[in-house]
Amino acid sequence: MDERGAGPAPPARRRTDRRLGLVAPHRRPEPSLRVCGAAARAGLGQPVLRYPADLGPQAAPYADAVRPLLTCPGEWSRVGAAEAWWRITGDAAPAVAALLAELAPLAGHATTPLVLRTVRILGAIGGPAAAALPALHEVTTSPRRYGDIRVDEELHRAARQALTAIAPARALDTP
């Protein structure tokens, strides 16, 4: 998968992953943990944070290095850190707090790839992301578009899926 969670990783990324020992970390996590730990401690940005996020609880020794990145400059890094923090620790509250700010463009009926990724992560978090319900509900009920047709439909699909994951009963109320 690419860093947005859409489709297979590009060939160059797969080669990099293999070179770093990050292929199939569930079979041999030690090389991946070493690389991810160094990256997390260095405070590198979002492209590297996908690796500790993929390792989930196995990357717990590096959670303390990820936590400060929830408030770092750079919205992609914050979103990557939020996903990594949640997947590593299972603690949704700090992750959701960091992610909610990235929904701000929706108030102006605009979207970006980062907003779309944020909506998907909030959906993956599920119930603990209930604070995002008003923004997601607005997306699914608004008659206005959030970009061109393709982007708008992709955002609506992601928002409906997130609503269903966060509050299944409320998702039934959306068209």
Side-chain angles (χ1 to χ4, degrees), residues 23-111:
V23 174
H26 59 283
R27 284 189 241 149
R28 250 183 73 227
E30 297 79 18
S32 298
L33 285 170
R34 282 194 301 276
V35 171
C36 292
R41 284 190 304 274
L44 298 176
Q46 182 269 341
V48 175
L49 288 169
R50 70 177 174 255
Y51 298 125
D54 287 347
L55 290 169
Q58 293 180 74
Y62 308 106
D64 289 340
V66 172
R67 176 90 190 227
L69 299 177
L70 292 169
T71 58
C72 73
E75 59 273 356
W76 279 99
S77 294
R78 283 192 304 272
V79 169
E83 181 180 22
W85 176 261
W86 170 67
R87 290 191 185 279
I88 291 168
T89 66
D91 181 12
V96 170
L99 293 169
L100 288 176
E102 304 311 326
L103 297 178
L106 294 176
H109 287 85
T111 192

Side-chain angles (χ1 to χ4, degrees), residues 60 66 70 113 116 135 156 161 164 169:
V66 172
L70 292 169
L116 189 57
H156 274 79
Q161 290 170 347
T164 300

